[in-house]
């Protein structure tokens, strides 16, 4: 078998495994039920959007598929910042509601 094909398959498998592991621990390490529900929604949306991005890279013709990197490169960091801020806000709200119950 061609070494390039082996590397592509192995690299893809390692990437999927890393994504699945990161998703698992992102959901597992939440502090409360609202935060966990938020992380599940974010994980589903992220998997769908990244899959669509990769499909677009493969399906669009060569000069145009590189243009997909522009919105991806802008949306990914902005999405990460928004998700982190929203998660911290949910965590603080859940901590405050627990403190008022005690």
């Amino acid at each position: 078998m061609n070494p390039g094909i082996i590397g592509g398959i192995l690299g893809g498998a390692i990437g999927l495994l890393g994504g699945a592991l990161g998703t698992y621990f992102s959901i597992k390490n939440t502090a409360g039920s609202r935060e966990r529900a938020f992380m599940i929604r974010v994980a589903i949306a992220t998997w769908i959007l990244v899959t669509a991005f990769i499909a677009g890279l493969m399906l669009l013709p060569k000069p145009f598929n590189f243009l997909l990197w522009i919105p991806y490169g802008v949306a990914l960091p902005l999405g990460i910042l928004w998700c982190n801020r929203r998660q911290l806000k949910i965590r603080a709200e859940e901590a405050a509601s627990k403190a008022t119950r005690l």
Side-chain angles (χ1 to χ4, degrees), residues 15 19 45-57 60 64-81:
T46 302
W47 276 96
I48 289 170
L49 292 172
V50 170
T51 302
F53 169 71
I54 292 170
L57 285 177
L60 286 174
F64 302 111
N65 65 354
F66 294 115
L67 294 174
L68 289 177
W69 284 99
I70 297 169
Y72 184 78
V74 171
L76 184 66
L78 291 177
I80 290 170
L81 289 173

Side-chain angles (χ1 to χ4, degrees), residues 2 6 12 19-20 25 30 42 46 52 66-67 69-71 86 88 98-99:
N2 185 347
I6 293 172
F25 283 112
T30 55
V42 167
T46 302
F66 294 115
L67 294 174
W69 284 99
I70 297 169
R86 182 74 179 127
L88 287 175
K98 283 182 184 178

Side-chain angles (χ1 to χ4, degrees), residues 14-48:
I14 291 170
L16 281 173
L17 183 63
L21 198 62
T23 301
Y24 171 76
F25 283 112
S26 292
I27 294 169
K28 184 179 183 286
N29 291 327
T30 55
S33 60
R34 279 185 56 218
E35 185 182 355
R36 184 170 296 109
F38 173 72
M39 287 309 296
I40 290 170
R41 287 192 310 270
V42 167
I44 291 169
T46 302
W47 276 96
I48 289 170

